[in-house]
């Protein structure tokens, strides 16, 4: 058995190491899972470097989301789980960058065997983030609902567009270049605007008076503030990252004059504060959407665990990567 773990908090290339280990027998409320695929996310690197909301205690196992198969259960647990394929929820109570791991039974969701493991490995964070922001903010029942977003060509942006299509909502996405705009259009984005010197006028022209129910923003800065100007009375700005390092704060006139709401979203808060049965039900709904082809995400490369240094190079910095890099354990990398 092998796993990646950190020896200290710091730069991933400096503190990650591949180690051999023997997994303990699962205890009460636990299962032993043989991992099939595990996603590499930007949040993993923030976690390793101590810049996330959760601080690891080295030596610490790494990797938030993935999919695998149960090979053993703890005393008193349901023996029928043995052999089941399970989604590993991104609770940070286990590390998925490993051939095997011990997980709490509350942190697994049984999923079908006939869905691509790599697509399942990506279900934990980005699609659930998109789903919850669309479902739990603004007014999902309003007719002709419009959603604005920055970073429309991001992983969350792709899921958001596909979910909005599924539920009959419309989207306007801000991106930084024309190639990204073309990509968003291929996914079914209704309107796309380039973030350039003409952003303000182009947004106004594209929307033609249409008001947005919510604005979903991982970037901050000018694009988010411009989208806020097009929110309906009582509309909501939801921030879930700050990629630009700039605040997305709506102007005080928007806050006062149109009662614009500004709130944040972090998936871990939902995982920690929501009844386990409801969490599992929401993930099963997402898995069904992956199964029927509604949801999928781009994959740039699959790699073996021993090639983790190559994986770091692919996922850190501006490498021109298109899609996720995913560790695979029971199939050939690509």
């Amino acid at each position: 058995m092998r796993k990646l773990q950190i020896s200290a908090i710091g730069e991933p290339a400096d503190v990650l190491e591949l180690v051999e280990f023997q997994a303990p027998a699962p205890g009460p409320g636990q299962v032993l899972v043989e991992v099939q695929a595990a996603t590499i996310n930007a949040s993993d690197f923030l976690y390793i470097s101590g810049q996330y909301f959760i601080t690891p205690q080295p030596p610490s196992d790494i990797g938030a989301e993935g999919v695998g198969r149960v090979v053993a259960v703890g005393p008193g647990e349901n023996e029928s789980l043995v052999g089941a394929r399970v989604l590993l929820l991104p609770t940070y109570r286990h590390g998925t960058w490993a051939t095997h791991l011990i997980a709490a039974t509350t942190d697994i969701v049984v999923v079908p065997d006939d869905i691509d493991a790599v697509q399942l490995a990506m279900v934990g964070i980005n699609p659930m983030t998109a789903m919850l922001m669309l479902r739990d903010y603004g007014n999902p029942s309003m007719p002709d609902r419009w959603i604005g977003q920055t970073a429309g060509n991001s992983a969350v942006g792709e899921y958001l567009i596909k979910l909005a299509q599924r539920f009959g909502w419309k989207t306007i996405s801000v991106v930084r270049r024309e190639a990204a705009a073309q990509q968003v259009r291929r996914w079914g984005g209704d309107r796309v605007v380039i973030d350039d010197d003409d952003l303000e006028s182009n947004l106004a022209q594209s929307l033609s008076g249409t008001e947005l129910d919510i604005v979903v923003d991982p970037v901050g800065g000018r694009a988010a503030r411009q989208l806020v100007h097009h929110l309906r009375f009582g509309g909501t700005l939801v921030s879930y990252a700050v990629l630009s390092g700039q605040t997305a704060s709506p102007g005080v006139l928007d806050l006062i004059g149109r009662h614009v709401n500004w709130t944040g979203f972090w998936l871990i808060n939902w995982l920690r504060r929501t009844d386990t049965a409801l969490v599992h039900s929401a993930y099963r709904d997402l898995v069904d959407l992956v199964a029927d082809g509604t949801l999928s995400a781009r994959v740039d490369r699959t790699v073996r665990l021993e090639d983790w240094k190559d994986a770091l190079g692919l996922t850190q910095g501006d490498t021109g990567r298109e899609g996720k890099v995913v560790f695979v354990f029971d199939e050939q990398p690509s």
Side-chain angles (χ1 to χ4, degrees):
M1 298 178 182
R2 292 167 298 152
K3 65 181 178 181
L4 284 169
Q5 67 176 23
I6 57 170
S7 56
I9 293 173
E11 286 298 314
D14 298 331
V15 300
L16 272 170
E17 54 186 357
L18 184 63
V19 300
E20 299 281 343
F21 76 106
Q22 184 62 46
Q30 295 180 329
V31 294
L32 174 64
V33 177
E34 184 176 13
V35 182
Q36 295 176 323
T39 316
I40 302 173
N41 289 297
S43 56
D44 294 312
F45 299 134
L46 294 174
Y47 179 70
I48 293 168
S49 60
Q51 301 176 65
Y52 205 48
F53 295 107
I54 306 171
T55 303
Q57 301 298 315
S60 180
D61 299 339
I62 299 300
E65 62 179 353
V67 65
R69 196 171 298 279
V70 175
V71 295
V73 299
E77 297 304 318
N78 187 351
E79 292 286 345
S80 68
L81 283 173
V82 175
R85 179 188 254 185
V86 292
L87 187 70
L88 295 156
L89 303 189
T91 61
Y92 288 87
R93 289 191 285 255
H94 49 257
T96 59
W97 296 358
T99 60
H100 298 76
L101 59 83
I102 296 290
T105 55
T106 53
D107 287 348
I108 62 170
V109 177
V110 176
V111 296
D113 283 319
D114 58 352
I115 305 176
D116 178 55
V118 172
Q119 289 297 326
L120 283 177
M122 296 185 286
V123 165
I125 296 176
N126 290 329
M128 186 57 78
T129 294
M131 174 68 87
L132 292 173
M133 289 189 295
L134 290 173
R135 188 192 73 181
D136 294 349
Y137 298 89
N139 182 8
S141 64
M142 70 181 299
D144 301 319
R145 187 188 193 203
W146 275 84
I147 295 105
Q149 67 168 336
T150 60
N153 63 318
S154 66
V156 172
E158 179 177 359
Y159 283 117
L160 187 145
I161 288 167
K162 292 176 178 178
L163 286 168
Q165 262 193 315
R166 175 64 175 246
F167 296 118
W169 302 323
K170 302 293 186 180
T171 58
I172 182 167
S173 302
V174 176
V175 298
R176 291 188 297 175
R177 56 191 184 279
E178 179 56 35
Q182 293 176 10
Q183 192 171 53
V184 168
R185 294 186 189 103
R186 288 196 297 271
W187 297 336
D190 296 286
R191 297 176 191 175
V192 191
V193 177
I194 306 295
D195 187 0
D196 58 18
D197 292 340
D198 297 320
L199 175 62
E200 182 176 1
S201 60
N202 288 341
L203 275 175
Q205 181 178 5
S206 184
L207 285 168
S208 300
T210 297
E211 293 185 318
L212 306 174
D213 179 39
I214 61 172
V215 169
V216 173
D217 175 50
V219 178
R222 180 184 65 162
R225 289 193 292 271
Q226 291 296 336
L227 282 168
V228 164
H229 295 327
H230 297 276
L231 279 170
R232 64 176 176 83
F233 184 90
T236 302
L237 166 64
V238 187
S239 299
Y240 69 96
V242 195
L243 298 177
S244 70
Q246 302 175 37
T247 179
S249 173
V252 68
L253 295 182
D254 290 313
L255 291 171
I256 296 173
R258 295 190 296 114
H259 289 197
V260 164
N261 302 287
W262 183 28
T263 189
F265 176 84
W266 183 39
L267 182 65
I268 298 298
N269 283 330
W270 177 77
L271 288 168
R272 288 176 173 175
R273 296 168 181 267
T274 305
D275 180 80
T276 299
L278 294 177
V279 170
H280 286 199
S281 177
Y283 273 107
R284 283 192 290 269
D285 288 344
L286 279 182
V287 169
D288 288 344
L289 293 175
V290 174
D292 70 14
T294 297
L295 295 182
S296 63
R298 296 158 292 164
V299 177
D300 183 88
R301 202 81 51 88
T302 61
V303 296
R304 293 289 191 187
L305 198 60
E306 57 265 30
D307 297 322
W308 64 271
K309 292 182 180 178
D310 293 336
L312 290 188
L314 288 167
T315 51
Q316 290 185 297
D318 187 8
T319 60
R321 174 174 53 88
E322 291 292 339
K324 288 288 188 182
V325 177
V326 181
F327 287 122
V328 292
F329 301 89
D330 61 353
E331 60 182 70
Q332 289 297 316
S334 62

